[in-house]
Amino acid sequence: MLKKIDTGLADPKVAATLKKLHARARGDVWKFARALPAVALARARGRNIFDAMAPHFKDAYIPVDPDQGKLLYVTARAIEAKTIVEFGTSFAISTIYLAAAARANGGRVIGTEMEPTKVKAARANVAEAGLAQFVDIREGDAMKTLAALEHQIDFLLLDGWKDIYLPMIKMLSPKMRAGAVVLADNIFTFKKTLRPYVAHMQDRTNGFESVTLPIGHGMEYSVRLS
């Protein structure tokens, strides 16, 4: 019997969809610049900067870059992750990297996204990549949509609103198996906001071994100890 070849990220549909989406994402730089005045005003008034950013990012990609995407893929493959959870799906660039790994591992990705228009586009992008059967994108508040997960988590990506990382990991860590991996994005970009999260993950008494990787805008790579 011939062994089935896992084409992974080289799968033509996956590669073509990712190439298209990364190209579109590169055109979104101006949207970040557009949000800067609102963020500065929120900081000056002591308000939540993410509330100020939200209206500007409803149609922004906010993706992982190709190197980060490959890190997601190879990590999920290395630990043979079957239940992969993603906080912050956006247009599904990171979802596609994770779903390619889930397909090879015999698993699935559970994604979450607040914006209805992004949910619709994300599902279409995943389908275009030929990975729809390996992905469940849930619409709504992730603290609610992920609260009742039934399966033990093997891999978790945190790439949604940064002030939710800490409550999210506190909610989900009891559902993570020993050896599960957590990758959290934008550690350098939102250094102040994410300082409590990083401190929590790097304190071994909280059940993780963790290191900050200088990839993209900084990623916290954490492994569940028990």
Side-chain angles (χ1 to χ4, degrees):
M1 180 182 293
L2 293 176
K3 184 177 180 181
K4 183 179 179 181
I5 298 175
D6 170 27
T7 55
L9 299 179
D11 177 292
K13 288 185 178 180
V14 171
T17 305
L18 285 173
K19 182 179 180 180
K20 180 185 73 173
L21 294 177
H22 278 301
R24 288 180 178 175
R26 286 193 290 273
D28 265 0
V29 175
W30 67 274
K31 293 178 182 178
F32 293 88
R34 185 181 63 185
L36 290 178
V39 171
L41 183 61
R43 280 177 173 162
R45 294 179 175 177
R47 295 178 180 174
N48 188 313
I49 63 170
F50 300 103
D51 290 340
M53 291 166 61
H56 301 279
F57 288 171
K58 282 187 176 182
D59 58 350
Y61 274 75
I62 326 176
V64 296
D65 65 31
D67 285 341
Q68 289 175 305
K70 289 175 184 176
L71 177 63
L72 298 179
Y73 175 82
V74 298
T75 301
R77 290 289 282 119
I79 65 171
E80 298 183 350
K82 288 184 170 56
T83 299
I84 300 172
V85 178
E86 176 186 47
F87 166 50
T89 293
S90 191
F91 286 92
I93 291 179
S94 54
T95 317
I96 291 170
Y97 283 103
L98 293 171
R103 175 172 61 183
N105 294 341
R108 67 169 182 158
V109 178
I110 300 170
T112 61
E113 177 54 51
M114 286 281 290
E115 292 295 330
T117 54
K118 283 190 174 183
V119 172
K120 182 178 180 179
R123 289 172 177 159
N125 291 334
V126 168
E128 185 177 338
L131 298 167
Q133 70 186 94
F134 306 100
V135 178
D136 170 17
I137 299 174
R138 301 179 180 184
E139 181 179 334
D141 181 346
M143 292 297 292
K144 296 178 180 178
T145 60
L146 297 179
L149 286 176
E150 299 176 357
H151 299 284
Q152 192 174 52
I153 300 170
D154 301 306
F155 186 107
L156 172 63
L157 172 63
L158 299 177
D159 198 16
W161 292 122
K162 312 312 166 185
D163 54 344
I164 305 298
Y165 282 20
L166 189 55
M168 182 66 67
I169 195 62
K170 288 182 177 179
M171 179 178 76
L172 296 182
S173 58
K175 301 180 182 182
M176 302 183 73
R177 68 166 172 86
V181 170
V182 184
L183 274 170
D185 197 16
N186 298 117
I187 300 301
F188 298 153
T189 312
F190 297 96
K191 189 173 183 179
K192 182 178 179 181
T193 300
L194 290 176
R195 189 174 295 133
Y197 171 81
V198 173
H200 178 86
M201 300 306 281
Q202 294 189 357
D203 182 347
R204 294 183 86 253
T205 63
N206 291 317
F208 292 90
E209 194 72 68
S210 192
V211 62
T212 304
L213 302 180
I215 181 173
H217 297 290
M219 297 191 86
E220 191 70 15
Y221 189 110
S222 312
V223 177
R224 181 73 172 168
L225 297 175
S226 60

